[in-house]
Every structure is written in structure tokens, then in C-alpha cells.
Amino acid sequence: MPIRLRVLDLVLLPALVLVLAVAAGCVPEQSAIRPTGKPPLSVTVALLVPAESGDARQDALADSLVRSAQLAVGDLGPDARIDLQVYATAADPETAVAAVRAAAEDEADIILGPLFSGVTVAVGKEADRLGLDVLSFSNNTKIAGGNIYVLGVSFENTADRLIAHAANQGISRIAVIAAQNDAGRLASGAVENAAVINGARVVSVATYERSAPGAIGAIDIIRETVTNSAAQAVVLDADTAGALPIFAEMLPEAAPEGEAIAEDVQFIGLTRWDIPRETLRQPGLEGGWFALPDPAIHEQFVRRYRNAHGTRPHPLSGLAYDGIALIGALASTGNPRALTEQGLTQTDGFVGVNGIFRLRTDGTVERRLAIARVHDGDVEIIEPAARTFDGGHGESS
């Protein structure tokens, strides 16, 4: 039996979507779907979150996703006709499929969520049978396509941003250190594709076992890779929940023959190195690069969420806000075809709390990201996120 979650009272606050667009110096023109002059569409959104799984961390994430979606609905203003219905998936495909069926019975117009890729695939098949599109919080581009769109920041998006920046700095020889799992293979493939696109070259791909002993052993792999490949940059797929803390502590020991490797080789991360921020204090990450959503815009969201709920939002919860912002922007046009592929994939994109983004016809998402450098244990933005989709990756007007 599907589990319906009670939607808490909405926190109605000033319309952030418009504020962010103005602050960004642009308002997407919504070129694919034009306003009709008619009242906004009434849209029922089925939000699928990983609640009721028995895992306290997933329940906390689910709560943060719900609160962020509520905040977005409130920000759309009193004229918005968004009916947000929340369903628990228990992070389980069968439960999630039952939730989709319940959502269809509740006359949902679109599915927002779920989070995990395996659950999303199951949801996508059932939603397709029922004629519904899915805006998943996953970042796995392998599951995108058809009626499934992924909202999460992907390795492909991040790698393209970082490798383009590296190439602009004269760095063309790239080494990749990735875990021996599906995520590691996706990461290394993303870097190889980005290198081709941006005129760089992957000179070495080395892997490590995703475990504490494997991460410790990877330090020797990094040392050998730098020595033998003459790489100018080393791209790491590790995150703070995996090998990154070990790398951060031990990377200074990876310098060949005691040299200062950080002065000769640029370390680049495909994941967020600032979550939690304590990771930044490790000397091995000093000077390293990583990509992140537009911090000026995202921090507005963090402050407002904290003021409303007394705690910081989960790092992934902004995806729920972005999904509602997208749906609300399309519904506001009054165009009955707003929630079709034509509207979802309009080239001008949308403004959310992670910056500007747009969906592609292949179901993947393109996000404009900032480039950060670790400096004195803190984040230093060395290239801002673009705020339009004109031109290149950097800041645009």
C-alpha cells in the first residue's frame, strides 16, 4: 500500500524565483512555450521522497526535500495553482511504483523525484504507462531519456565545466583516479569525453578499490601516475563520504621524491569538496579545484530555509526547489502544452536555487556551475557561474 505523507502548512515568502532571475541579470524568455494570456495552469505535482525506509538519514533527506518543495510553491506566489502531493517510496522500487499508481489515481500531472537511479527506472516505466513524465533527483545520466529527466548535477556536466577551465589555463594532459565501481566508470568516462570536447587529453586512468585500504593504496597509484604520465592535472572522483578524506590527509605524501606535488600538478575534484566544510582544512586539498552551483544564489536559499526551519537544508534538497520552480514557470504561461517535452526542454532554461539550468531532449540536465579553489581552508570562487545560456561556461550578462 502506498504511503501518503501529510504536507505541512506552506511557508509563504516573497517570490524567490523572480528575485533570483532579476539578481542574475536575466529572466529566461521561455521561448519554447509562450504565455497565452490565460490564467496559470492548475498542476498537481506528485513528489516522491525516500521516507519510511527505516534509515534516519534518508528520512531526514526526505523531510528536507519536502520542505524545499513547499518553499518553492510558496515562492511562486498566491496566483500559483500548484497542488503538491507527497508520497513515500521507502527507497524501494515496488513501493515507489505503488506510489506512482496512487499519484495517477490522484490525477497527478507530473512526477517530481524519486532520488535513487534504480528506483527512478522502475518509476519511469510505470509513469510512462500512465502517461506521466518524471523529473528525477538522480544524477545518473544512464537512466535519462524517454519520459525520465534527471535534475542532479552529473559527472558529465561537472567534468565538462572543469576540463574546459583547465584547458583555458593551458592544462592539456589529464590523469584520472577513479573507484572500481559503476560511479567510478561513469566519472572516468565523463572526463574522457570532456577532454575530447575541450581539446585536452586523458593520459592515464587508474582505479582503486572503494574502501579505506583501497584509498590508502591509491596514494601510491597517484604518485606513480604523476611520475609516469607527466600529467598536468589529476582528476579525482572521490567524495567526502568515500575516499576523499583519506586522499586529503595523505596527498602531500604523493609528491615524487619529496617534491611539492601541489606546485606541479593541479588536483581537480568531480564532487563537492566543501560538504562538509571541515574537509577543506586538509592540507592535501589546498589549491585544488571543484565545481559547485552558483553560491550567491544558493546561499540565499540556505538562509531562507534556515530562517523558516531552524536548520540548514540537505545539500540535495535544492533539487526539489528547482523542480517546482521549473513546473511553476511553465504553468504560469497558461499554455496547455507547457508540461510536454517542448516546454520542459526549452532552450532558455529556468532559474532555481542552484543557478540556471535547462533540460535536454535526451533527459539530461545542463547546469551553469562556478569553479572554486580551496584557499586557506575555505572556498574561493575563481570563475563565477554563468547566469544565461549565451556564450561559454563563465559569467555572462
Side-chain angles (χ1 to χ4, degrees), residues 14 19 31 124 148 180 229 293 364 375:
V19 170
S31 61
I148 296 177
Q180 296 170 357
S229 68
T364 62
H375 179 66

Side-chain angles (χ1 to χ4, degrees), residues 237-328:
D237 75 327
D239 59 24
T240 55
L244 187 63
I246 295 175
F247 288 170
E249 181 179 354
M250 300 186 67
L251 276 176
E253 301 176 18
E257 300 178 0
E259 298 173 7
I261 192 171
E263 296 179 3
D264 304 316
V265 176
Q266 179 65 55
F267 283 100
I268 300 174
L270 287 182
T271 63
R272 291 284 298 271
W273 286 3
D274 59 330
I275 302 172
R277 292 186 77 86
E278 290 76 16
T279 307
L280 298 170
R281 301 188 188 123
Q282 293 288 350
L285 299 185
E286 181 69 17
W289 300 344
F290 63 96
L292 73 168
D294 191 320
I297 294 177
H298 187 74
E299 282 305 310
Q300 293 183 40
F301 163 67
V302 171
R303 286 194 297 271
R304 295 176 63 254
Y305 184 103
R306 186 170 51 209
N307 289 339
H309 302 296
T311 185
R312 289 181 66 89
H314 188 282
L316 295 178
S317 70
L319 298 175
Y321 189 107
D322 288 356
I324 294 295
L326 179 158
I327 294 166

Side-chain angles (χ1 to χ4, degrees), residues 139-286:
N139 67 347
N140 185 349
T141 58
K142 298 298 183 183
I143 68 170
N147 68 323
I148 296 177
Y149 299 87
V150 294
L151 293 175
V153 180
S154 68
F155 281 140
E156 289 87 348
N157 202 166
T158 304
D160 181 48
R161 180 71 171 103
L162 289 163
I163 300 304
H165 179 74
N168 288 337
Q169 305 303 310
I171 296 174
S172 61
R173 295 176 60 84
I174 311 291
V176 183
I177 309 294
Q180 296 170 357
N181 57 18
D182 289 342
R185 285 183 283 275
L186 286 173
S188 59
V191 176
E192 291 179 294
N193 290 338
V196 171
I197 293 171
N198 293 287
R201 178 186 172 201
V202 173
V203 295
S204 176
V205 176
T207 62
Y208 63 93
E209 180 184 341
R210 196 179 186 276
S211 64
I216 293 171
I219 299 301
D220 289 335
I221 294 174
I222 295 173
R223 181 188 300 112
E224 294 169 4
T225 297
V226 171
T227 302
N228 298 330
S229 68
Q232 297 169 284
V234 174
V235 179
L236 305 173
D237 75 327
D239 59 24
T240 55
L244 187 63
I246 295 175
F247 288 170
E249 181 179 354
M250 300 186 67
L251 276 176
E253 301 176 18
E257 300 178 0
E259 298 173 7
I261 192 171
E263 296 179 3
D264 304 316
V265 176
Q266 179 65 55
F267 283 100
I268 300 174
L270 287 182
T271 63
R272 291 284 298 271
W273 286 3
D274 59 330
I275 302 172
R277 292 186 77 86
E278 290 76 16
T279 307
L280 298 170
R281 301 188 188 123
Q282 293 288 350
L285 299 185
E286 181 69 17

